[in-house]
């Protein structure tokens, strides 16, 4: 099922990643220390989990720019529950549920009210971000040890963080889901040709709402990893993260016009983005460059992907004669 | 053996403003190829879209394999045994052949409690189908990497995945090469032997006589006749497709025709337009006839410099000129009015006067480069008066005008550029009868003022009524030219339908 072309573009991405890692091995002293690798993998976990959700949304030719704000809200929600001593086993489902509710809201705005995805999610960004200061004053702090269990105590073999393990499960499940579920075919069909999908009997609106709901659950998991990293949860924990997720998806070869892209690409894309920030740090470049470098990588990858896209459309009949 | 598997009775389908289908009867037997023919816009494709559930009819009944049915989308039609191979393919470009074949009805199996897609079975079925079609196909290929014939093959295979026994082909040979056509005909005749009922829509009469058992003619959304192919001939079919007698409502006034003003010589573009040469004389109305896809619009757009990549010479007033882009064309006084006024012609959210002045804002600006609203208004009012746009004033938004009046704004916008040659592409498409007559009157008046007009139209009576000379285009080439005195609809249609492929 693997297409030659897609393989090469993902292979290139993989090579690019190896190059970065090799450069870091040579010039960045201490980059491969256990501590750094583990903290990098922790960041990678939450970036990848949310990016998989974002990938599904983008495949349907939609977008979600409210993800960062949504995650901030979910962080505060579970902090409130964590404050009263709820264990991780309850915080996780609560976070996922909260994510589903908020993200479904996005999906409903887009489908029922027919608001373009970018506008709808820009608006909900403002709403999510705007509600928080009304409810919480700055942050929820002095959270108990039960709250930070995931970050400090949940290690497999005394070393590998549980968050990485969660990420692995999510990734494997979704790679299988996107390959073997009938639902996934609907996503690609909608992204390719909305009218065609409708005419094939697919309930386009319902499918889009469901996609946002699934992505919301993944955003919820990401929020748990982010929130439980410390004893204080502020109202802006997720701010700006949506750009990282979108970047990971685009970098992974998913066309922003929708209809194509696979989880595996996102897996690599997210890793590149997770490496950039610490890499810059270890290379001795000012961290202020971090965002600019991420931005440059996004521009380059989008230009490359749209160039591919433009090439493919030419008038049918003209070339046939 | 010969049972009726598809029966349509009195199908009526209306779109805003037009009755696209008005009482169509049709029936299809198993093991036959039944052709539907008619002119451009006769309603062939609309009828088939009704059959397969893209459109729902206002009146009439449809029965498939003996039971009354109502379809709301093609998937329902597929499941009842009706499949259609569309003119423009309805495949999903980024997805693989296999995914396309089974989209919406994937085969699944249970693994534990979860149902997953069973690629093995799907692959097996698909290979069987392609073997039946005698075609090599890589099931993992993405659709975007297939040619037109390959895509068509996938569509046919898709029909077979549903166990459909009725297959509709809508202009299947329009984009195929001779070899691909032969292969397709072989497939169709195999399907026929297997007992499929096939509906075949084509412009090419030869194909109907080669392939089909019966033929139904429709015209202007009306049912005309159904005949066995062996009991009819080309002339009879053409006569039935044309049908109507020429009306006299085309107010063509005699104009003085002057010297040759514009000549195109040996014109080629990117392998589609092929060695085209034509000329126009001053004050003449020159028509271009042809079926949809013959290349008339492409020719006009190319002459006006929209597409680039063209080779050939253009002469204006006896001098050779270069047209690299539309700006060049305009500066030489060649102005084009697009067939799709909504998409390319007008900004409907803007007012009449703003639309008219848009192509030449420079001429309406004062020293500070600000727009001279007063001057704009004067010009707007002038054209509202001159060509009779029905609007309260020139500040009126175009989107609130009727189709006919929008078309007049398009013409006004072109006239404001003071053209020498005005190219009108389908000037009366989608406007009602009265507006049509008015547009014809305007065109006539313009030539009396010395303007030269090139007109592309799919409506033969309009061309015959209005034009001094008519070129016939086909597959990117000019295949004939008629003078006003000698032209008839039959002659044009015969040329259009003639196929040198068979």
């Amino acid at each position: 099922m693997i297409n030659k072309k897609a393989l090469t573009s993902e292979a290139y991405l993989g090579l690019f990643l190896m190059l970065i890692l090799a450069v870091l091995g040579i010039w960045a002293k201490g980059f491969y220390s256990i501590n750094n690798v583990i903290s990098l993998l922790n960041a990678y976990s939450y970036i990848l989990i949310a990016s998989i959700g974002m990938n599904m949304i983008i495949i349907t030719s939609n977008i979600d720019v409210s993800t960062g704000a949504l995650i901030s809200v979910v962080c505060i929600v579970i902090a409130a529950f964590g404050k009263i001593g709820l264990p991780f086993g309850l915080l996780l489902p609560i976070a996922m549920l909260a994510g589903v509710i908020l993200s479904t809201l996005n999906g409903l705005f887009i489908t029922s009210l027919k608001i373009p995805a970018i506008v709808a999610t820009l608006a909900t960004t403002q709403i999510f971000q705007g509600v928080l200061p009304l409810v919480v004053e700055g942050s929820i702090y002095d959270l108990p040890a039960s709250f930070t269990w995931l970050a400090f105590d949940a290690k497999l073999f005394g070393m590998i963080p549980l968050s990485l393990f969660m990420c692995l499960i999510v990734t494997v499940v979704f790679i299988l889901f996107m390959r073997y579920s009938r639902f996934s075919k609907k996503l690609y069909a909608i992204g390719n040709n909305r009218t065609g999908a409708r005419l094939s009997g697919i309930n386009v609106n319902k499918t889009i709402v469901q996609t946002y709901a699934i992505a919301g659950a993944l955003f919820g998991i990401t929020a748990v990893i982010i929130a439980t990293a410390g004893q204080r949860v502020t109202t802006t924990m997720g701010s700006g993260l949506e750009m990282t997720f979108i970047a990971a998806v685009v970098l992974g070869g998913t066309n922003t016009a929708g209809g194509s892209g696979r989880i595996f690409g996102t897996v690599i894309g997210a890793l590149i983005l997770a490496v950039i920030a610490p890499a810059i740090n270890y290379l001795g470049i000012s961290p202020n460059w971090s965002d600019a470098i991420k931005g440059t990588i996004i521009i380059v990858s989008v230009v490359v992907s749209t160039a591919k896209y433009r090439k493919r459309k030419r008038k049918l009949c003209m070339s046939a004669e | 053996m010969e049972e009726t598997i598809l029966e349509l009775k009195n199908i009526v389908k209306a779109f805003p403003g037009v009755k696209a289908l008005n009482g169509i009867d049709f029936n299809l037997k198993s093991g036959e190829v039944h052709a539907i023919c008619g002119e451009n816009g006769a309603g062939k494709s609309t009828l088939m879209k009704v059959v397969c559930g893209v459109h729902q009819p206002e009146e009439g009944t449809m029965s498939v394999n003996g039971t009354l049915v109502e379809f709301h989308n093609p998937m329902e039609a597929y499941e009842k045994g009706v499949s259609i191979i569309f003119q423009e393919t309805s495949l999903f470009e980024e997805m693989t052949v296999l995914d396309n074949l089974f989209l919406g009805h994937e085969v699944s199996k249970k693994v534990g409690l979860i149902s997953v897609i069973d690629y093995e079975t799907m692959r097996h079925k698909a290979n069987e189908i392609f073997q039946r079609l005698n075609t090599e196909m890589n099931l993992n290929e993405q659709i975007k990497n297939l040619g037109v014939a390959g895509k068509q093959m996938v569509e046919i295979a898709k029909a077979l995945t549903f166990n459909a026994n009725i297959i509709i082909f809508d202009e299947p040979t329009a984009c195929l090469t001779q070899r691909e056509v032969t292969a397709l005909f072989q497939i169709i005749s195999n399907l026929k032997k297997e007992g499929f009922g096939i509906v075949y829509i084509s412009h090419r009469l030869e194909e109907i006589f080669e392939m089909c058992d019966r033929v139904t003619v429709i015209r202007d959304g009306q049912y005309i006749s159904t005949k066995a192919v062996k009991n009819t001939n080309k002339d009879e079919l053409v006569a039935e497709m044309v049908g109507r007698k020429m009306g006299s409502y085309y107010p063509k006034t005699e104009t003085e025709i002057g010297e040759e003003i514009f000549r195109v010589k040996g014109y080629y573009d990117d392998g589609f337009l092929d060695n085209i040469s034509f000329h126009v004389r001053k004050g003449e109305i020159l028509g271009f006839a042809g079926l949809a896809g013959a290349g008339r619009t492409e020719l006009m757009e190319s002459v006006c410099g929209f597409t680039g990549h063209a080779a050939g010479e253009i002469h204006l007033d006896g001098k050779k000129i270069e047209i690299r882009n539309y700006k060049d064309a305009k500066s030489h006084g060649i102005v084009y009015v697009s067939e799709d006024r909504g998409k390319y012609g007008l900004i409907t959210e803007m007012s009449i006067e703003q639309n008219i002045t848009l192509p030449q804002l420079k001429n309406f600006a004062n020293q500070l480069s600000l727009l001279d609203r007063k001057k704009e208004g004067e010009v707007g009012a002038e054209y509202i008066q001159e060509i009779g746009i029905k609007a309260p004033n020139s500040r009126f938004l175009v989107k609130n005008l009727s189709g006919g009046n929008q078309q007049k704004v398009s013409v006004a916008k072109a006239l404001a550029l003071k053209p020498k040659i005005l190219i009108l592409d389908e000037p009366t498409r989608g406007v009602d009868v009265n507006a049509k007559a008015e547009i014809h009157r305007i065109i006539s008046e313009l030539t009396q003022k010395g303007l030269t007009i090139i007109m592309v139209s799919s409506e033969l009576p309009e061309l015959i009524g209005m034009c001094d000379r008519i070129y016939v285009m086909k597959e990117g080439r000019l295949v004939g030219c008629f003078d006003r005195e000698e032209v008839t609809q039959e002659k044009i249609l015969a040329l259009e339908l003639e196929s040198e492929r068979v």
Side-chain angles (χ1 to χ4, degrees), chain A residues 193 195-201 316-317, chain B residues 43-56 71-78 82-93 100 103 143 147-159 162 166-176 184 199-202:
Chain A
N193 179 349
T195 319
R198 189 171 52 79
L199 293 179
S200 300
L316 280 172
C317 289
Chain B
K44 299 174 301 234
S45 292
T46 311
L47 179 64
M48 289 307 117
K49 284 183 175 161
V50 166
V51 172
C52 71
V54 175
H55 298 317
Q56 281 73 47
F71 298 140
H72 301 95
N73 61 53
M75 205 43 119
E76 292 178 17
Y78 272 131
V82 183
S83 62
I84 182 162
I85 285 119
F86 284 108
Q87 232 166 324
E88 65 278 13
T89 79
S90 57
L91 298 171
F92 300 91
E93 296 270 324
N100 267 279
L103 187 82
I143 297 296
V148 185
K151 285 181 186 171
Q152 203 168 59
M153 211 51 81
V154 174
E155 295 243 27
I156 296 172
K158 186 173 174 184
F162 284 96
I166 297 164
I167 303 182
I168 299 163
F169 287 90
D170 192 357
E171 303 269 358
T173 58
C175 295
L176 299 184
L184 177 70
V199 181
Y200 191 86
I201 299 176
S202 179

Side-chain angles (χ1 to χ4, degrees), chain A residues 12-144:
Chain A
Y12 277 127
L13 202 61
L15 284 175
F16 181 52
L17 178 64
M18 304 243 213
L19 188 76
I20 297 178
L21 293 177
V23 166
L24 289 169
I26 299 166
W27 280 292
K29 269 223 156 77
F31 184 80
Y32 287 106
S33 71
I34 301 278
N35 271 344
N36 187 49
V37 168
I38 295 220
S39 95
L40 187 152
L41 288 177
N42 187 57
Y44 176 53
S45 308
Y46 74 71
I47 292 176
L48 179 54
I49 292 172
S51 299
I52 288 172
M54 186 66 82
N55 194 7
M56 293 173 66
I57 289 174
I58 291 178
I59 285 171
T60 66
S61 196
N62 283 291
I63 190 106
D64 185 354
V65 296
S66 73
T67 314
L70 184 150
I71 287 174
S72 298
V73 175
V74 177
C75 284
I76 289 294
V77 168
I78 55 168
F81 283 105
K83 184 92 178 167
I84 56 172
L86 252 48
F88 178 74
L90 285 175
L91 294 180
L92 182 65
I94 289 172
M96 289 170 72
L97 183 67
V100 169
I101 293 170
L102 296 177
S103 194
T104 303
L105 209 62
N106 277 331
L108 288 174
F109 280 138
I110 292 161
T111 53
S112 311
L113 301 182
K114 295 196 172 62
I115 306 172
I118 182 115
V119 179
T121 55
L122 266 177
T124 50
T125 305
Q126 302 295 316
I127 295 170
F128 295 159
Q129 201 63 262
V131 164
L132 287 178
L134 304 178
V135 188
V136 182
E137 219 168 309
S139 63
I140 296 178
Y141 48 90
D142 284 346
L143 287 156

Side-chain angles (χ1 to χ4, degrees), chain B residues 191-209:
Chain B
L191 292 172
K192 180 179 147 178
K193 277 190 212 116
E194 289 181 38
F196 284 86
I198 289 161
V199 181
Y200 191 86
I201 299 176
S202 179
H203 279 317
R204 297 187 175 137
L205 288 183
E206 283 81 0
E207 292 180 358
I208 291 172
F209 286 95

